Amino acid sequence: AQSVTQLGSHVSVSEGALVLLRCNYSSSVPPYLFWYVQYPNQGLQLLLKYTTGATLVKGINGFEAEFKKSETSFHLTKPSAHMSDAAEYFCAVRPNTGFQKLVFGTGTRLLVSP
Amino acid sequence: DVKVTQSSRYLVKRTGEKVFLECVQDMDHENMFWYRQDPGLGLRLIYFSYDVKMKEKGDIPEGYSVSREKKERFSLILESASTNQTSMYLCASRQGAQGELFFGEGSRLTVL
């Protein structure tokens, strides 16, 4: 079975500061890992995903995440926060084979102050 | 551009009413999903469908049913709405088991 833990339901940063959103996963088989973003009153949009290959994954809007198997982590980072990054972010996991459901974390709301 | 359209963005219903939430995708995707989103709980899968007329229960199917008569349309049905079904409902679709999940904008349902 797969599960995802996102540490911190809310993260606050100042504009220009580093963004770090934490995600740890549990999976009995090699996983695919995802980060989604949800802006207010909208659906979810894929930020980036790890499937195979390079463990550092770059996504849209300057975000990136690193798959660390030894730490079972897939933390999301951005060097410099922008006001427009304020949103809710969801980490998700699924097995890398077969027809499988995506399992989501509980989400982290990113607040960006001027 | 890919598109998943949920027919109603906001609905207000009374306890006991039958509620239909409609979702249409224009990408010819095989798989479609209904999630429920609640604060602090993230997204929870209600039902999914991997083909026309096929459906599978997700993690929280109680109180819900679904219908997929055409490939592009996946409906979520609340036979008798209850206040604990007040929530944001998100539809999603993907092509095949390995495809990217595309989401609609959500339907916020309030049951009074």
Side-chain angles (χ1 to χ4, degrees):
Chain A
Q2 285 69 44
S3 66
V4 171
T5 301
Q6 291 185 242
L7 294 175
S9 58
H10 292 79
V11 170
S12 295
V13 299
S14 299
E15 193 172 20
L18 171 72
V19 175
L20 171 61
L21 304 183
R22 298 178 185 274
C23 172
N24 288 89
Y25 69 90
S26 171
S27 179
S28 54
V29 297
Y32 285 170
L33 293 157
F34 305 80
W35 276 100
Y36 282 84
V37 60
Q38 185 180 36
Y39 298 104
N41 298 315
Q42 294 187 25
L44 276 69
Q45 177 184 358
L46 182 67
L47 262 183
L48 50 79
K49 64 181 178 183
Y50 168 79
T51 53
T52 57
T55 56
L56 182 62
V57 181
K58 295 187 184 298
I60 61 172
N61 301 336
F63 284 92
E64 62 182 36
E66 187 170 10
F67 170 58
K68 292 187 176 180
K69 185 178 178 180
S70 61
E71 299 177 7
T72 61
S73 69
F74 191 57
H75 302 328
L76 182 71
T77 60
K78 182 174 180 178
S80 176
H82 193 274
M83 296 293 289
S84 61
D85 294 327
E88 189 153 23
Y89 293 79
F90 292 91
C91 184
V93 65
R94 55 165 288 192
N96 68 354
T97 57
F99 183 97
Q100 297 289 351
K101 304 172 293 185
L102 208 56
V103 175
F104 286 87
T106 53
T108 298
R109 185 167 296 279
L110 177 66
L111 307 170
V112 183
S113 56
Chain B
D1 229 9
V2 297
K3 193 81 173 172
V4 178
T5 303
Q6 294 184 231
S7 56
S8 303
R9 294 295 307 275
Y10 301 93
L11 304 94
V12 179
K13 299 291 182 181
R14 297 204 174 274
T15 302
E17 280 193 80
K18 191 168 185 177
V19 181
F20 292 88
L21 300 180
E22 304 286 340
C23 175
V24 177
Q25 51 95 1
D26 65 358
M27 298 164 281
D28 202 36
H29 284 174
E30 297 166 352
N31 308 148
M32 297 188 74
F33 302 80
W34 274 107
Y35 288 90
R36 172 177 171 158
Q37 182 182 8
D38 298 288
L41 297 177
L43 276 73
R44 293 178 290 168
L45 183 63
I46 304 172
Y47 267 96
F48 63 98
S49 168
Y50 52 87
D51 203 350
V52 177
K53 298 189 184 294
M54 307 301 287
K55 60 185 179 184
E56 293 285 342
K57 293 180 179 179
D59 301 316
I60 53 164
E62 297 78 19
Y64 303 95
S65 62
V66 291
S67 171
R68 194 163 180 206
E69 296 297 317
K70 293 185 178 181
K71 191 175 185 180
E72 68 270 19
R73 187 180 299 270
F74 192 35
S75 303
L76 180 69
I77 304 156
L78 287 69
E79 294 288 343
S80 177
S82 63
T83 55
N84 63 12
Q85 292 179 309
T86 291
S87 187
M88 170 71 90
Y89 292 88
L90 292 167
C91 176
S93 72
R94 74 181 183 197
Q95 179 58 30
Q98 308 299 322
E100 175 185 338
L101 208 57
F102 291 89
F103 283 86
E105 293 192 316
S107 299
R108 186 169 293 282
L109 171 66
T110 301
V111 183
L112 303 175

